[in-house]
Amino acid sequence: MSSHSILKWGIRFYITLFFLYLFTPLIIMSAATFNDSRFPTISPWRGTTFKWFEELWNDSGMWQALGNSAIIAAGVLVIAVPIGVACALFLSTYRGNGKNFLYGLMLSPLLTPGVIIGISTLIFWRSLGVSGGIFLTMIAQTTFIAAYVMLMILARLQRFDRTLENAAFSLGASHFQVFRRILLPYLMPAILSAAVIAFLQSFENYNTTLFVKGHDTTLTIYIASKVRTGLTPAVNALGLILILITILFAAAYELKRRHEARQSQINPETDSEPISR
Amino acid sequence: MDSSVHLDHVMMKFDDFVAVQQTDLKIESGEFFSFLGPSGCGKTTLLNIISGFIEPTEGTVHIGGQDMRRVPANKRPTSMIFQNLALFPLMTVAENIEFGLEVRGVRKAERRKVSERLLNLVALPECRDKRISDLSGGQKQRIAIARALAVEPRVLLLDEPLSALDLKLRQHMRTELKDIQRKTGITFIYITHDQGEALTMSDRVAVMSAGKLQQVADPMTLYRAPATPFVASFVGENNRIEGKVVAIDGTQVTLDCGDLGRLSGHTQDSLNLGDSALLFIRPELLTRRTSMSDNCFMAQIRELNFEGAYLMIEATPLKSQQRLRIQLLSDLNLDDVATGNLIIFGFAAEDAMIMSGARDV
Amino acid sequence: MFKQLSERFGPWVSIGIFLLMFLWLVMLVILPQILMIDYSLRPNLPPSQIGGPDDQYTLKNYATLANNAIHQSIFFKTIWSSVLVTFCTLLLCYPLAYYLAKVATPRQAALCVLLLIIPFWINEILRTFSWFIILSYRGPLNALLLSLGFIDRPIRFLSGDGGVIVGMVYAYILFMIFPLYNAIESLDSNQIKAARNLGSGWIRTHYRIIIPHAKPGIATGCIMVFMLSAGSYAVPALLGSPGSRWFTQIIYNWFFEGGDWNQGAAYAFILLLLCIGFIVLMMRLFKVGLGDIAR
């Protein structure tokens, strides 16, 4: 065997291991859902059961947390997407002093640990008389999710041909008509992708939410608290459902993205990099 | 309807850089007018000033007799065809054509009538519901024209719209553009660096260089009587020979051209003895001579290119470094025209133009 | 500034853009940070005394860390553990990123990227929880090791820092892989061929051609993973024990158990400084600008 093929097999072996490492924990966790054991594990296997789904279904705390998470994620989407779009439009238009500074400032929430965003939001809004809860969670999450939206929109804007705007303008369209009929339709795919990402990011956030949630509980907080106190495989059932939903979302999102990429013949990998935290 | 364009003392400065020097120009109603010049000469800036995308630093633009100061691009009676065409990729062909009417609030049935008429004009009625990405280069070109015409502009501005097409299509589109212009009677203002385009289509051409109008004239005059050394060498091919004035007889001037000897031509400039001057003689006006006489020189042939109807020769006069181009009709007796041979060339003094060296750019 | 925008979008859209941008930057990004720093410089007083004579700027809250040996050791442990996590993820990801970007066929790469994206989208808490199950005392890992005869009795994986580090590598590995992949992918493959052609060995090719090109990606990946590790609360909370606390847990305790927000703010600011310091270090080390990061 030549050294080249050893290298080739070596790297294949490594890739296989890597993906095993990536997926085995998730599979074990999912499998534990069906084990008829009080504690979530797969060893030893005490018989297959679906009762943990039933227990989850009857858990009013979970439903409450799910409702809160959905409200917060919807709120974040509504606030963060317009902010991110506005900032991307600004960055793609403005040429002059302070642009780099503003860009750095807009990126800074992504480079700040989530706990610090939570803490600073909590302190600031308490001084305005607002205490922790659903509203403050939306605000805190928006702080960094808007920056993700901004990056995604900016990536698409950078490929926009501005003579299209001039063309529409010279055909008699007003500034608003140009924006509404030319730029916005062009940005729409990126805005939709950003909305999906914003929703998911909000839904799964833990570190920031922990500090600003007040007495309200989100689904992620609920799972973490269950793991530490009162852990049963019902948590695994919830995890399994969330994983399945996520896979569905990810696959649909990715398929749509590739479809678009093929249509506009843009490299799919540079279009919008999925990021979460 | 008056669709003339009048530039009155228009000047454009970007910081310290003067992109367009003070310009006065009147483009007549229904004229096919071209701005011709190398890239960076300021022609696109001038077009953007007419279209309203930029405000001139000084001066005013009148379109159809109306002052266009503080009239933004979307309110001017112009429409523009862009170099990359800028068709809206997310709209169908019909939506593209109807866009200008749509933003004016024209009803759908009305718009449809217009787009159908225009699709017939550009001979693409079957493309109505196609996507832009499904069109060929030539089809895109025509849709861009139709879209610009849909808003019934008084003036159509064209920014090198043919440059993306291949040679054959480009030549075909020239006739088509000229045809559309004749049918619609709209003033066309055309920007190009391709003299072939400018000379074949235009009623008048403005040659630009370094932000300055060098000459505004019909194509024939530009070729026969260039006003400046720049025009003489930019429009058509020309041989340029430097020399010093040694004799003046009315409009006829004789230059001492060093190794080429004394050569005469006519001039419109006022020259004095001893001035440095430039002599221009076109390749097709140089002829073979059998013996040396006035306005003749001996040259060695360096390169021969047979181009069908004629033969293009590159030759170097004896003792000189200069390369001259000579065009000989191929039905002449060309037996001794071969690389390396020495041949006598000459020209008639009235065919050569002499210009002051001070006006060189 | 406004002129450039209104020339493109008209006045109304431009006003909207400015309002949204400044609301976000001022109300959500700048002012909260400033107030947090202000808080960290004030003493913890009952509400009645706020604004009173005792309410003066002090460095007392910062001195707490200097005087508390336990907090200090946790702080330094957080740093070096985060560095370790960063280093491990880099080491694990580089071969895969290289394979995806330069060796795999486009189809293989597309499939692998999709397979990477799926766990990437799954909740951090769930990914951590899965390791909680694996590493638990009666969990599958102990069962496997016992049945293979490697150990005689189960190991308490979840009682030290090891579990936390393993969990973090797993939780944040994908923040390393995507920046690396994007950076290596943008390298012209002919450069690698040329280097090979000139007789450069594999190690030298990586060291001299690929790694220098991938610098911005390496820097981005390292910054993200370090920031996430040092600022993580979820992973140490789930996989750690009381004996293996993380700096974020101390911060949390100041806020919600100690009730001393000023003290908590000071610790939070120290954590922020640590992250900024790491970013600056990475930018210096790899000679990249802020514009190259988070691309």
Short mmCIF file of all heavy atoms in Angstrom, two decimals, chain A residues 156 161 163-175 177-178 181-182 185-187 263, chain B residues 53 72-74 78-80 82 84 86-91 99-100 102-104 147-148 151:
data_model
loop_
_atom_site.label_atom_id
_atom_site.label_comp_id
_atom_site.label_asym_id
_atom_site.label_seq_id
_atom_site.Cartn_x
_atom_site.Cartn_y
_atom_site.Cartn_z
N ARG A 156 -25.75 39.06 1.58
CA ARG A 156 -26.52 39.09 0.33
C ARG A 156 -26.44 40.47 -0.34
O ARG A 156 -26.33 40.56 -1.56
CB ARG A 156 -27.98 38.73 0.60
CG ARG A 156 -28.77 38.55 -0.69
CD ARG A 156 -30.02 37.73 -0.51
NE ARG A 156 -30.84 37.76 -1.71
CZ ARG A 156 -30.73 36.93 -2.73
NH1 ARG A 156 -29.82 35.99 -2.69
NH2 ARG A 156 -31.51 37.02 -3.78
N ASP A 161 -26.50 44.31 -7.28
CA ASP A 161 -26.05 45.21 -8.34
C ASP A 161 -26.81 46.52 -8.22
O ASP A 161 -28.00 46.58 -8.50
CB ASP A 161 -26.31 44.54 -9.69
CG ASP A 161 -25.99 45.46 -10.85
OD1 ASP A 161 -25.35 46.50 -10.62
OD2 ASP A 161 -26.37 45.13 -11.98
N THR A 163 -26.80 49.14 -9.94
CA THR A 163 -27.35 49.79 -11.14
C THR A 163 -28.83 49.44 -11.31
O THR A 163 -29.55 50.17 -11.97
CB THR A 163 -26.58 49.41 -12.42
OG1 THR A 163 -26.53 48.00 -12.52
CG2 THR A 163 -25.20 49.99 -12.44
N LEU A 164 -29.26 48.32 -10.70
CA LEU A 164 -30.69 48.00 -10.76
C LEU A 164 -31.51 49.11 -10.12
O LEU A 164 -32.57 49.48 -10.61
CB LEU A 164 -30.98 46.68 -10.05
CG LEU A 164 -30.44 45.40 -10.69
CD1 LEU A 164 -30.84 44.20 -9.87
CD2 LEU A 164 -30.95 45.27 -12.11
N GLU A 165 -31.00 49.64 -9.02
CA GLU A 165 -31.70 50.76 -8.36
C GLU A 165 -31.71 51.99 -9.25
O GLU A 165 -32.73 52.66 -9.40
CB GLU A 165 -31.02 51.09 -7.03
CG GLU A 165 -31.29 50.06 -5.96
CD GLU A 165 -30.63 50.42 -4.65
OE1 GLU A 165 -29.62 51.15 -4.65
OE2 GLU A 165 -31.13 49.99 -3.61
N ASN A 166 -30.55 52.27 -9.87
CA ASN A 166 -30.49 53.42 -10.76
C ASN A 166 -31.45 53.25 -11.93
O ASN A 166 -32.10 54.21 -12.36
CB ASN A 166 -29.07 53.62 -11.30
CG ASN A 166 -28.16 54.20 -10.25
OD1 ASN A 166 -28.63 54.74 -9.26
ND2 ASN A 166 -26.86 54.09 -10.45
N ALA A 167 -31.51 52.02 -12.46
CA ALA A 167 -32.39 51.75 -13.58
C ALA A 167 -33.84 52.04 -13.19
O ALA A 167 -34.56 52.74 -13.91
CB ALA A 167 -32.23 50.32 -14.04
N ALA A 168 -34.24 51.52 -12.04
CA ALA A 168 -35.62 51.75 -11.60
C ALA A 168 -35.87 53.24 -11.38
O ALA A 168 -36.92 53.77 -11.74
CB ALA A 168 -35.88 50.97 -10.30
N PHE A 169 -34.88 53.90 -10.81
CA PHE A 169 -35.01 55.32 -10.53
C PHE A 169 -35.15 56.10 -11.83
O PHE A 169 -36.00 56.99 -11.95
CB PHE A 169 -33.77 55.77 -9.74
CG PHE A 169 -33.94 57.07 -9.05
CD1 PHE A 169 -34.94 57.25 -8.11
CD2 PHE A 169 -33.08 58.13 -9.31
CE1 PHE A 169 -35.09 58.45 -7.46
CE2 PHE A 169 -33.22 59.33 -8.66
CZ PHE A 169 -34.23 59.50 -7.73
N SER A 170 -34.33 55.74 -12.82
CA SER A 170 -34.40 56.49 -14.07
C SER A 170 -35.69 56.20 -14.82
O SER A 170 -36.09 56.96 -15.69
CB SER A 170 -33.18 56.20 -14.95
OG SER A 170 -33.45 55.15 -15.83
N LEU A 171 -36.36 55.08 -14.47
CA LEU A 171 -37.65 54.79 -15.09
C LEU A 171 -38.79 55.51 -14.37
O LEU A 171 -39.95 55.29 -14.67
CB LEU A 171 -37.91 53.29 -15.11
CG LEU A 171 -37.05 52.48 -16.08
CD1 LEU A 171 -37.19 50.99 -15.82
CD2 LEU A 171 -37.43 52.79 -17.52
N GLY A 172 -38.44 56.32 -13.39
CA GLY A 172 -39.45 57.15 -12.76
C GLY A 172 -39.91 56.70 -11.39
O GLY A 172 -40.81 57.30 -10.80
N ALA A 173 -39.33 55.62 -10.85
CA ALA A 173 -39.75 55.16 -9.53
C ALA A 173 -39.26 56.11 -8.45
O ALA A 173 -38.19 56.70 -8.58
CB ALA A 173 -39.21 53.76 -9.28
N SER A 174 -40.05 56.26 -7.39
CA SER A 174 -39.60 57.08 -6.25
C SER A 174 -38.62 56.26 -5.44
O SER A 174 -38.49 55.05 -5.62
CB SER A 174 -40.79 57.46 -5.38
OG SER A 174 -41.32 56.30 -4.78
N HIS A 175 -37.90 56.92 -4.52
CA HIS A 175 -36.95 56.20 -3.66
C HIS A 175 -37.65 55.03 -2.96
O HIS A 175 -37.11 53.94 -2.87
CB HIS A 175 -36.37 57.13 -2.61
CG HIS A 175 -35.36 58.07 -3.16
ND1 HIS A 175 -34.16 57.64 -3.66
CD2 HIS A 175 -35.36 59.41 -3.30
CE1 HIS A 175 -33.46 58.66 -4.08
NE2 HIS A 175 -34.17 59.77 -3.88
N GLN A 177 -40.38 53.48 -3.88
CA GLN A 177 -40.74 52.42 -4.83
C GLN A 177 -39.53 51.57 -5.21
O GLN A 177 -39.64 50.35 -5.35
CB GLN A 177 -41.36 53.03 -6.09
CG GLN A 177 -42.82 53.41 -5.89
CD GLN A 177 -43.35 54.23 -7.05
OE1 GLN A 177 -42.63 55.03 -7.64
NE2 GLN A 177 -44.62 54.05 -7.37
N VAL A 178 -38.38 52.22 -5.36
CA VAL A 178 -37.17 51.46 -5.66
C VAL A 178 -36.88 50.48 -4.53
O VAL A 178 -36.61 49.30 -4.75
CB VAL A 178 -35.96 52.41 -5.85
CG1 VAL A 178 -34.68 51.60 -6.02
CG2 VAL A 178 -36.17 53.31 -7.05
N ARG A 181 -39.80 47.75 -4.47
CA ARG A 181 -39.99 46.86 -5.61
C ARG A 181 -38.69 46.19 -6.06
O ARG A 181 -38.73 45.15 -6.71
CB ARG A 181 -40.60 47.63 -6.79
CG ARG A 181 -41.99 48.14 -6.55
CD ARG A 181 -43.02 47.05 -6.74
NE ARG A 181 -43.27 46.79 -8.16
CZ ARG A 181 -43.10 45.61 -8.72
NH1 ARG A 181 -42.66 44.61 -8.02
NH2 ARG A 181 -43.35 45.44 -9.99
N ILE A 182 -37.55 46.80 -5.77
CA ILE A 182 -36.29 46.25 -6.29
C ILE A 182 -35.45 45.64 -5.16
O ILE A 182 -35.11 44.45 -5.18
CB ILE A 182 -35.46 47.32 -7.02
CG1 ILE A 182 -36.30 48.01 -8.10
CG2 ILE A 182 -34.18 46.72 -7.61
CD1 ILE A 182 -36.75 47.12 -9.22
N PRO A 185 -37.49 42.82 -2.57
CA PRO A 185 -37.66 41.47 -3.15
C PRO A 185 -36.34 40.73 -3.28
O PRO A 185 -36.28 39.52 -3.07
CB PRO A 185 -38.27 41.74 -4.53
CG PRO A 185 -38.90 43.06 -4.42
CD PRO A 185 -38.08 43.85 -3.45
N TYR A 186 -35.28 41.48 -3.60
CA TYR A 186 -33.97 40.84 -3.71
C TYR A 186 -33.53 40.30 -2.35
O TYR A 186 -32.94 39.22 -2.26
CB TYR A 186 -32.95 41.84 -4.24
CG TYR A 186 -31.54 41.33 -4.22
CD1 TYR A 186 -31.07 40.49 -5.24
CD2 TYR A 186 -30.67 41.64 -3.18
CE1 TYR A 186 -29.80 39.99 -5.21
CE2 TYR A 186 -29.39 41.14 -3.15
CZ TYR A 186 -28.95 40.32 -4.17
OH TYR A 186 -27.68 39.82 -4.13
N LEU A 187 -33.79 41.06 -1.29
CA LEU A 187 -33.32 40.65 0.04
C LEU A 187 -34.21 39.59 0.67
O LEU A 187 -33.82 38.95 1.65
CB LEU A 187 -33.28 41.86 0.97
CG LEU A 187 -32.18 42.87 0.71
CD1 LEU A 187 -32.25 43.98 1.74
CD2 LEU A 187 -30.81 42.19 0.78
N GLN A 263 -30.21 28.42 -8.34
CA GLN A 263 -30.91 29.32 -9.25
C GLN A 263 -30.11 30.56 -9.56
O GLN A 263 -30.06 31.02 -10.69
CB GLN A 263 -32.26 29.71 -8.67
CG GLN A 263 -33.31 28.68 -9.01
CD GLN A 263 -34.69 29.20 -8.80
OE1 GLN A 263 -34.89 30.17 -8.09
NE2 GLN A 263 -35.65 28.56 -9.42
N PHE B 53 -28.47 61.71 -12.28
CA PHE B 53 -27.88 60.92 -11.19
C PHE B 53 -26.85 61.73 -10.41
O PHE B 53 -26.62 61.46 -9.25
CB PHE B 53 -27.24 59.63 -11.72
CG PHE B 53 -28.26 58.60 -12.08
CD1 PHE B 53 -28.31 58.06 -13.34
CD2 PHE B 53 -29.19 58.18 -11.15
CE1 PHE B 53 -29.26 57.12 -13.69
CE2 PHE B 53 -30.14 57.23 -11.47
CZ PHE B 53 -30.18 56.70 -12.75
N PRO B 72 -34.86 65.59 -9.88
CA PRO B 72 -34.14 64.32 -9.72
C PRO B 72 -34.34 63.39 -10.92
O PRO B 72 -35.24 63.61 -11.74
CB PRO B 72 -34.75 63.71 -8.46
CG PRO B 72 -36.09 64.33 -8.35
CD PRO B 72 -35.99 65.71 -8.95
N ALA B 73 -33.50 62.38 -11.00
CA ALA B 73 -33.49 61.47 -12.16
C ALA B 73 -34.86 60.87 -12.44
O ALA B 73 -35.22 60.68 -13.60
CB ALA B 73 -32.46 60.36 -11.93
N ASN B 74 -35.61 60.59 -11.37
CA ASN B 74 -36.89 59.91 -11.61
C ASN B 74 -37.98 60.86 -12.10
O ASN B 74 -39.06 60.44 -12.43
CB ASN B 74 -37.35 59.16 -10.36
CG ASN B 74 -37.49 60.06 -9.16
OD1 ASN B 74 -37.04 61.19 -9.18
ND2 ASN B 74 -38.10 59.55 -8.11
N THR B 78 -36.12 61.62 -19.27
CA THR B 78 -35.09 60.81 -19.90
C THR B 78 -35.26 59.38 -19.42
O THR B 78 -35.83 59.14 -18.36
CB THR B 78 -33.69 61.25 -19.46
OG1 THR B 78 -33.60 61.13 -18.05
CG2 THR B 78 -33.40 62.67 -19.86
N SER B 79 -34.76 58.43 -20.18
CA SER B 79 -34.55 57.12 -19.57
C SER B 79 -33.25 56.57 -20.11
O SER B 79 -32.75 57.02 -21.12
CB SER B 79 -35.74 56.19 -19.77
OG SER B 79 -35.84 55.78 -21.08
N MET B 80 -32.72 55.62 -19.36
CA MET B 80 -31.33 55.24 -19.59
C MET B 80 -31.22 53.74 -19.87
O MET B 80 -31.94 52.94 -19.29
CB MET B 80 -30.54 55.60 -18.33
CG MET B 80 -29.07 55.36 -18.45
SD MET B 80 -28.20 56.71 -17.61
CE MET B 80 -26.64 55.96 -17.31
N PHE B 82 -28.39 50.90 -19.50
CA PHE B 82 -27.13 50.78 -18.79
C PHE B 82 -26.18 49.81 -19.49
O PHE B 82 -26.61 48.93 -20.23
CB PHE B 82 -27.37 50.30 -17.36
CG PHE B 82 -28.10 51.31 -16.53
CD1 PHE B 82 -29.48 51.44 -16.61
CD2 PHE B 82 -27.40 52.16 -15.69
CE1 PHE B 82 -30.15 52.39 -15.86
CE2 PHE B 82 -28.06 53.10 -14.94
CZ PHE B 82 -29.44 53.23 -15.03
N ASN B 84 -24.56 47.33 -18.27
CA ASN B 84 -24.88 45.92 -17.99
C ASN B 84 -26.38 45.66 -18.15
O ASN B 84 -26.89 44.65 -17.70
CB ASN B 84 -24.42 45.54 -16.59
CG ASN B 84 -25.17 46.29 -15.52
OD1 ASN B 84 -25.98 47.16 -15.81
ND2 ASN B 84 -24.92 45.94 -14.27
N ALA B 86 -28.96 46.14 -16.63
CA ALA B 86 -29.70 46.29 -15.37
C ALA B 86 -31.16 45.90 -15.50
O ALA B 86 -32.05 46.57 -14.99
CB ALA B 86 -29.57 47.73 -14.83
N LEU B 87 -31.43 44.80 -16.18
CA LEU B 87 -32.79 44.27 -16.18
C LEU B 87 -33.09 43.68 -14.82
O LEU B 87 -32.20 43.12 -14.18
CB LEU B 87 -32.94 43.21 -17.28
CG LEU B 87 -32.84 43.74 -18.71
CD1 LEU B 87 -32.79 42.58 -19.68
CD2 LEU B 87 -34.00 44.66 -19.04
N PHE B 88 -34.33 43.80 -14.37
CA PHE B 88 -34.67 43.31 -13.03
C PHE B 88 -34.81 41.80 -13.07
O PHE B 88 -35.75 41.27 -13.67
CB PHE B 88 -35.96 43.97 -12.53
CG PHE B 88 -35.90 45.47 -12.60
CD1 PHE B 88 -36.93 46.20 -13.17
CD2 PHE B 88 -34.80 46.16 -12.09
CE1 PHE B 88 -36.86 47.59 -13.24
CE2 PHE B 88 -34.74 47.53 -12.15
CZ PHE B 88 -35.77 48.25 -12.73
N PRO B 89 -33.92 41.08 -12.39
CA PRO B 89 -33.89 39.62 -12.55
C PRO B 89 -35.10 38.92 -11.93
O PRO B 89 -35.41 37.82 -12.33
CB PRO B 89 -32.60 39.20 -11.84
CG PRO B 89 -32.29 40.31 -10.90
CD PRO B 89 -32.86 41.56 -11.50
N LEU B 90 -35.74 39.56 -10.97
CA LEU B 90 -36.85 38.88 -10.30
C LEU B 90 -38.19 39.13 -10.98
O LEU B 90 -39.22 38.67 -10.52
CB LEU B 90 -36.93 39.31 -8.83
CG LEU B 90 -35.67 39.04 -8.01
CD1 LEU B 90 -35.81 39.59 -6.61
CD2 LEU B 90 -35.39 37.54 -7.96
N MET B 91 -38.17 39.90 -12.07
CA MET B 91 -39.42 40.18 -12.77
C MET B 91 -39.39 39.51 -14.14
O MET B 91 -38.34 39.25 -14.70
CB MET B 91 -39.59 41.69 -12.97
CG MET B 91 -39.63 42.48 -11.68
SD MET B 91 -39.93 44.22 -12.04
CE MET B 91 -39.48 44.97 -10.48
N PHE B 99 -42.56 48.27 -15.83
CA PHE B 99 -42.21 48.81 -14.51
C PHE B 99 -42.38 50.33 -14.43
O PHE B 99 -42.97 50.87 -13.50
CB PHE B 99 -40.77 48.42 -14.16
CG PHE B 99 -40.34 48.93 -12.80
CD1 PHE B 99 -40.67 48.23 -11.65
CD2 PHE B 99 -39.63 50.12 -12.68
CE1 PHE B 99 -40.30 48.70 -10.41
CE2 PHE B 99 -39.26 50.59 -11.44
CZ PHE B 99 -39.59 49.88 -10.30
N GLY B 100 -41.86 51.01 -15.46
CA GLY B 100 -41.92 52.48 -15.45
C GLY B 100 -43.35 53.00 -15.42
O GLY B 100 -43.63 54.04 -14.81
N GLU B 102 -45.92 51.16 -14.22
CA GLU B 102 -46.50 50.70 -12.97
C GLU B 102 -46.24 51.72 -11.86
O GLU B 102 -47.14 52.08 -11.10
CB GLU B 102 -45.87 49.35 -12.61
CG GLU B 102 -46.50 48.68 -11.40
CD GLU B 102 -45.62 47.59 -10.86
OE1 GLU B 102 -45.02 46.85 -11.67
OE2 GLU B 102 -45.50 47.50 -9.63
N VAL B 103 -44.99 52.22 -11.78
CA VAL B 103 -44.68 53.17 -10.70
C VAL B 103 -45.35 54.52 -10.95
O VAL B 103 -45.46 55.33 -10.03
CB VAL B 103 -43.16 53.36 -10.52
CG1 VAL B 103 -42.52 52.06 -10.10
CG2 VAL B 103 -42.50 53.92 -11.76
N ARG B 104 -45.82 54.74 -12.17
CA ARG B 104 -46.59 55.96 -12.42
C ARG B 104 -48.07 55.75 -12.19
O ARG B 104 -48.87 56.66 -12.41
CB ARG B 104 -46.38 56.41 -13.88
CG ARG B 104 -45.04 57.06 -14.14
CD ARG B 104 -44.84 57.30 -15.63
NE ARG B 104 -43.66 58.09 -15.91
CZ ARG B 104 -42.41 57.62 -15.85
NH1 ARG B 104 -42.22 56.37 -15.50
NH2 ARG B 104 -41.39 58.40 -16.12
N ARG B 147 -37.89 48.49 -22.43
CA ARG B 147 -38.20 48.99 -21.10
C ARG B 147 -37.97 50.50 -21.02
O ARG B 147 -38.76 51.23 -20.44
CB ARG B 147 -37.34 48.28 -20.05
CG ARG B 147 -37.67 48.68 -18.63
CD ARG B 147 -36.82 47.95 -17.62
NE ARG B 147 -35.45 48.43 -17.63
CZ ARG B 147 -34.52 48.00 -16.78
NH1 ARG B 147 -34.81 47.08 -15.89
NH2 ARG B 147 -33.30 48.48 -16.84
N ALA B 148 -36.86 50.93 -21.64
CA ALA B 148 -36.55 52.35 -21.58
C ALA B 148 -37.54 53.17 -22.41
O ALA B 148 -37.86 54.31 -22.06
CB ALA B 148 -35.13 52.59 -22.08
N VAL B 151 -41.59 54.30 -21.03
CA VAL B 151 -41.99 55.49 -20.29
C VAL B 151 -42.07 56.72 -21.21
O VAL B 151 -42.24 57.83 -20.74
CB VAL B 151 -41.04 55.77 -19.11
CG1 VAL B 151 -41.10 54.64 -18.11
CG2 VAL B 151 -39.61 55.96 -19.61
#
